[in-house]
Each structure stands twice: as structure tokens, then as C-alpha cells.
Amino acid sequence: MWPWLMSGLGLLILLLAGDALVKGAVNLSLRVGIPALIVSLTIVAFGTSAPELLISVNAVLENKPGLALGNVIGSNTANILLVLGVPALLSVLHTSGCNTRKTYLFMIGATVVFIGLAFRGAFDMLAGVVLLACLGLVLADAFRDARNHRRACRNAEADDEDEVEGADPDMPWWQIFVFLALGLVGLPLGADLLVDNASIIAREFGVSDAVIGLTLVALGTSLPELATTVMAALRKQADVALGNVIGSNMFNLLAIIGITSFVGTIPVDPEFLEFDLWVMLGASLLLIPFVFLGRDITRLWGIALTVLYVIYVLVVLS
């Protein structure tokens, strides 16, 4: 029972520390004059993925690479099947009005590149360079689109601060530094607790670190996306829900494994090549009706996606 409690504590610290780091970094950047657009594309994106990144880096440093890779693959699968499935049970996601085609194609492209690199047998520095280069291209395209949109909007400057979550123009300097300190101290602490105790649980149940990464750790690190998507569904903001999942998945593949590859080589378990990577790709392709065919994610779809995720977890654990 103790490892489960400590794993839960580590996850809680990770989530709170990641939120604190985002708030501190956003407000520090805006106070020193960095445009909100750049903050949105970089600091917020990195900050919200900090828990997954720290878990992956810690796992590689502690010679548990299966946990690192399982965390990313499992998180991406959970993001689509569970993070979109559960909110659809509460409220229909009217994704027919969302324009996410280009971003979705980028995500599919990132997934295909990731699988291709996985068949090399390991994610090394060369693979990391390729993944980070792809990330750079995606961010450059997003920056160009946002800049063009900004030029077309007459009142964009006035709304600049509202576009960054966590921005508070009245936040005092001392509070900014407290948030930064909590984030920088809490993230490695939470990651260490979660990785160590998740490995203990794996040994107790006779399963591999990779399986724990695909299930327990992946589910835990998908909780922020799930919370965001549930709120978006209740507020009838389908574009936020779908964009959150697509962006998170793309960042997981390109940034987290890309950066972690520079910390140490990540060997690819043959089971990933035979099953889990293809499930991740299949789950990604399930979004085609919602992105290209104008379908809404109804409650029936919500049930189907959620059931598929439960079946996947049962297969992985069997």
C-alpha cells in the first residue's frame, strides 16, 4: 500500500509543481517584455509537459528506459481514447466546427516519424535531433499562423494578456519567484517519487517498468489533459478539447523523447514495436471522422472510446 500512496503523492506534487512553474514562467516572461504569443508557444507548452519530461528523464537516469517510453506512448493513447471519451459522456463535443486539420496532420506525421525512429531499435541523440527538428518546424509554422492572425485582428494587442492561461498583470515579483521555486523544486521531487515507487509496484506484481509506464504513470500524467478537456466540454469549447489533445500528443512525441534522448539512449522494447505503437497510431487515426468528416464526438462515441481504452489497459496488464 505504501508504494501506491507514495506514487500518488509524487503525481500530486508533479501536477502542482507543473502548474506553479507555468504560472511563474508566464508572468515572469510577460513582466520582462516577452510577447504573450511566444510565451504560449514555448513556456506554457514546455511547462504543461514538464511532469512527463521529468519522469522520462528520471527513468533514463535510473536505468528504467521502458518507463520513459511507456509513459509517452501510453499517455498519447490515453489522451485520445480516455481524455476525449470521458468528456463526451458528459456533453457532446461539437468538433464539426473545429478547424484542426493542419495540426492533426502534423500530429499524424509526428507519430509516423516516431514509429519509424523506433524501428531503429533505440532513441539516441540522432533520433533526438530529428524529433526536435520536427518540433522546431511545427512551432515555426504555429508562430507564423498566429502572427498572421494577429495582424488581421485590429484589437489583438488589447487581448494579448487574455490569451495566456495563468497570466496576471498584478502578480507581485515575490509571488512570481515563489511559483518558480515551487515548480523547480517540486518537479524533480515528484518525478523521483513516482518513478521509484512505480518501479516497486511493477516488481510486486511481476510486470515490467514498460507496462507500468503504459498504464499507471501514463494515466496519471494524462490527468491534467483530462481535467482541461472535461471543463472544455462542459463549457461547449470543443476546439479547446480537441486542440488540447492533438497538441499534447505532438509535444509528447517530439519534445519529451527528443530531449530525453540527449540524456541517455532509450532502447525500444520489442513489445512496443509489435503492439503498443500501432495502438497509439490506430487511436490517432480514429480522430479522422471528427477532423475531416464533420462528425461530432457524441455520447455513443464517448462510450466507444472509453471502452476501447479499458480493453487496451486489460490487454497490456494481461
Side-chain angles (χ1 to χ4, degrees):
M1 182 56 113
W2 184 250
W4 287 92
L5 291 175
M6 296 307 292
S7 293
L9 177 61
L11 177 61
L12 180 61
I13 292 173
L14 273 172
L15 300 182
L16 294 176
D19 185 57
L21 183 63
V22 169
K23 287 181 179 177
V26 163
N27 288 286
L28 174 64
S29 301
L30 296 179
R31 289 290 288 270
V32 299
I34 299 176
L37 170 63
I38 297 177
V39 176
S40 297
L41 292 175
T42 55
I43 295 172
V44 174
F46 275 100
T48 53
S49 292
E52 289 96 328
L53 177 59
L54 264 292
I55 286 173
S56 296
V57 169
N58 266 33
V60 171
L61 290 175
E62 296 181 15
N63 199 29
K64 298 163 187 171
L67 190 63
L69 203 54
N71 174 36
V72 167
I73 297 171
S75 288
N76 278 23
T77 302
N79 279 350
I80 293 174
L81 300 181
L82 194 68
V83 173
L84 287 178
V86 170
L89 298 177
L90 305 176
S91 177
V92 176
L93 294 173
H94 296 284
T95 49
S96 55
C98 302
N99 183 18
T100 55
R101 292 183 178 183
K102 184 167 72 170
T103 311
Y104 174 72
L105 288 175
F106 281 156
M107 186 194 80
I108 293 296
T111 303
V112 171
V113 169
F114 186 87
I115 292 175
L117 291 172
F119 272 89
R120 295 173 63 245
F123 286 93
D124 52 14
M125 289 185 67
L126 176 60
V129 168
V130 172
L131 293 173
L132 292 178
C134 291
L135 177 66
L137 292 174
V138 170
L139 290 177
D141 182 78
F143 182 84
R144 184 175 61 251
D145 284 350
R147 185 178 57 187
N148 292 338
H149 176 71
R150 187 67 55 86
R151 286 174 177 171
C153 296
R154 188 173 298 176
N155 299 321
E157 274 306 311
D159 296 334
D160 193 59
E161 299 296 325
D162 294 333
E163 294 184 11
V164 183
E165 185 177 353
D168 178 8
D170 299 320
M171 182 177 290
W173 281 102
W174 69 265
Q175 193 171 349
I176 292 175
F177 287 115
V178 167
F179 277 130
L180 288 172
L182 289 174
L184 293 172
V185 172
L187 283 171
L189 174 63
D192 195 50
L193 278 173
L194 186 56
V195 169
D196 286 347
N197 288 280
S199 297
I200 292 173
I201 293 170
R203 288 194 295 271
E204 286 181 354
F205 283 86
V207 298
S208 66
D209 289 327
V211 169
I212 291 296
L214 286 166
T215 53
L216 175 65
V217 178
L219 181 59
T221 54
S222 291
L223 289 179
E225 286 87 352
L226 179 59
T228 300
T229 309
V230 166
M231 293 308 298
L234 295 177
R235 293 170 182 166
K236 309 298 182 183
Q237 297 173 323
D239 54 339
V240 174
L242 193 58
N244 175 44
V245 166
I246 292 174
S248 176
N249 279 17
M250 191 158 48
F251 208 84
N252 281 350
L253 295 173
L254 301 180
I256 292 175
I257 295 300
I259 294 171
T260 306
S261 298
F262 282 84
V263 177
T265 299
I266 308 171
V268 180
D269 192 307
E271 290 185 8
F272 286 142
L273 300 175
E274 295 169 3
F275 181 65
D276 300 291
L277 285 167
W278 304 111
V279 171
M280 179 181 71
L281 177 60
S284 300
L285 294 175
L286 285 177
L287 294 182
I288 288 177
F290 315 123
V291 175
F292 289 103
L293 304 181
R295 300 287 179 86
D296 292 329
I297 305 180
T298 62
R299 287 185 172 86
L300 187 60
W301 271 107
I303 293 171
L305 292 173
T306 306
V307 168
L308 283 174
Y309 182 71
V310 172
I311 292 172
Y312 169 68
V313 171
L314 291 176
V315 171
V316 168
L317 292 175
S318 63

